Amino acid sequence: MSVEIQSGSLQTTFNKTVATVQFGHPASNSFPRQLLDRLTAEINLLSTNTKVSVIVLQSQGTKAFCSGASFDELLQVENEIQGTEFFSGFAHLLNAMRNCSQLIIGRVQGKAVGGGVGIISACDYVLATPESAVKLSELAIGIGPFVIEPAVSRKIGKAAMTEMTLAAHEWKSAEWALENKLFSEIHQADKLDDAVAGFTQKLSSYNPEALLEMKKIIWEGTEHWESLLVERAAITGKLVLSDFSRNALTQFKK
C-alpha cells in the first residue's frame, strides 16, 4: 500500500470563488493524524485566500462520510503525551474551521461517527442524504467525545449531545440529525451535488464582507476553544491508555 493511500488523500478544487476540499481514506474516510494536519493546514491556507468566498468540505466515495479517528493509530499510542498529541489534531482542525474567514458548507453523503460528527458540527451549513446516520460511539471504546463536544453541543444543544453520547451504540437517523439542526437540508444521493452547487452558487454571490461578518457572529463566544479543546484532548489522551479502551479498540478493529 502506498504512503498516499496509508495517510489518506486531500484535494482542493476551485470553481470561481468556491473552493471544494475533499478528504479520503480507505478505512471509511477515517483520520490518521497526518491527514488531520493536512486538512487543518489547507483550511488555514484557504482562510487567507481573498479570492475564495465559500468552502465546501466533502469526503471521497459514496458510502461513509467519516468514521473519525484512525483505530490503528489509537492502538499505537503509548503514553499520555502521545495521546494528547493525537487528539489535539481534532482540536486544531475544529479551531481552524471556527477561525476560517469563509463559511464552510458540509456535503455529507453517508454515515459519520465520532470525530466525523465533530467535523460536521463545525461546518456552518450542512447538506446530507437520507443515508447519513450519525453516532457518537466514544464511550463504547472507553473514552468520550470530549474534544468535539463543544462543537456538537453548540450545534444541536446539550440535551441532544447527551442523548447521542450515552446511547453510544445507537445510530441516529439523518431525519433526527435534521430535526436537531446538525443537518440543514436532506437530499436524495443523486440530487446532493446539484443541491450543494445551487446553494454555494447563491451564497458566493453575496457580499464577501457581509459573509465574513456573518461568520464572526455565528462563532461568537467560542474564543476560549483555543485552550479548551486542547485541554479536552489531554483527557481523551489519558483515557485511551486504559485497559478498557485497549480491549475495546482491539475488539472493534477485529
Side-chain angles (χ1 to χ4, degrees):
M1 184 178 288
S2 70
V3 173
E4 175 69 13
I5 293 176
Q6 288 178 332
S7 62
S9 62
L10 187 71
Q11 181 181 24
T12 300
T13 56
F14 299 89
N15 182 11
K16 298 180 180 178
T17 63
V18 177
T20 298
V21 181
Q22 178 174 283
F23 63 88
H25 193 277
S28 300
N29 290 326
S30 62
F31 270 101
R33 178 56 194 267
Q34 186 179 6
L35 184 57
L36 275 173
D37 289 346
R38 290 167 63 192
L39 179 55
T40 300
E42 186 66 12
I43 295 295
N44 286 332
L45 179 63
L46 288 171
S47 183
T48 67
N49 189 334
T50 57
K51 295 181 179 180
V52 174
S53 59
V54 178
I55 296 172
V56 175
L57 183 60
Q58 63 183 45
S59 64
Q60 266 186 352
T62 59
K63 296 183 179 179
F65 172 73
C66 177
S67 60
S70 166
F71 277 15
D72 288 336
E73 287 197 3
L74 286 178
L75 284 168
Q76 292 171 13
V77 172
E78 297 179 347
N79 53 59
E80 289 185 28
I81 294 176
Q82 290 180 359
T84 301
E85 175 65 18
F86 177 81
F87 287 103
S88 290
F90 279 99
H92 297 325
L93 175 58
L94 296 185
N95 275 321
M97 295 175 69
R98 175 179 68 85
N99 290 321
C100 185
S101 300
Q102 296 88 355
L103 293 168
I104 299 177
I105 310 305
R107 174 194 177 275
V108 179
Q109 82 284 14
K111 292 181 176 181
V113 184
V117 177
I119 291 170
I120 292 171
S121 299
C123 291
D124 299 299
Y125 197 95
V126 177
L127 295 90
T129 69
E131 292 74 36
S132 302
V134 292
K135 179 167 67 172
L136 293 180
S137 60
E138 284 87 344
L139 283 180
I141 56 173
I143 55 177
F146 303 114
V147 175
I148 65 171
E149 179 277 322
V152 178
S153 290
R154 171 187 163 274
K155 183 61 71 74
I156 69 175
K158 190 75 75 174
M161 181 281 301
T162 301
E163 181 180 333
M164 285 191 75
T165 300
L166 299 187
H169 290 86
E170 180 182 330
W171 287 100
K172 295 296 187 182
S173 69
E175 289 74 19
W176 184 95
L178 180 66
E179 290 173 2
N180 285 278
K181 309 303 182 184
L182 182 64
F183 298 158
S184 309
E185 302 177 17
I186 291 179
H187 298 272
Q188 294 299 319
D190 60 348
K191 304 293 184 182
L192 182 61
D193 286 331
D194 287 342
V196 171
F199 182 79
T200 55
Q201 182 179 3
K202 290 178 182 177
L203 194 61
S204 63
S205 71
Y206 301 151
N207 184 346
E209 294 181 10
L211 294 178
L212 175 58
E213 294 304 319
M214 197 65 230
K215 176 86 177 195
K216 293 177 183 178
I217 291 173
I218 290 171
W219 288 94
E220 276 180 346
T222 62
E223 295 79 10
H224 63 296
W225 286 18
E226 292 293 343
S227 58
L228 175 64
L229 300 192
V230 176
E231 291 169 5
R232 294 287 185 84
I235 297 173
T236 316
K238 179 179 180 180
L239 287 171
V240 79
L241 296 170
S242 69
D243 290 339
F244 185 103
S245 184
R246 290 300 188 196
N247 292 335
L249 284 168
T250 300
Q251 291 302 314
F252 266 79
K253 188 177 178 182
K254 288 180 180 179

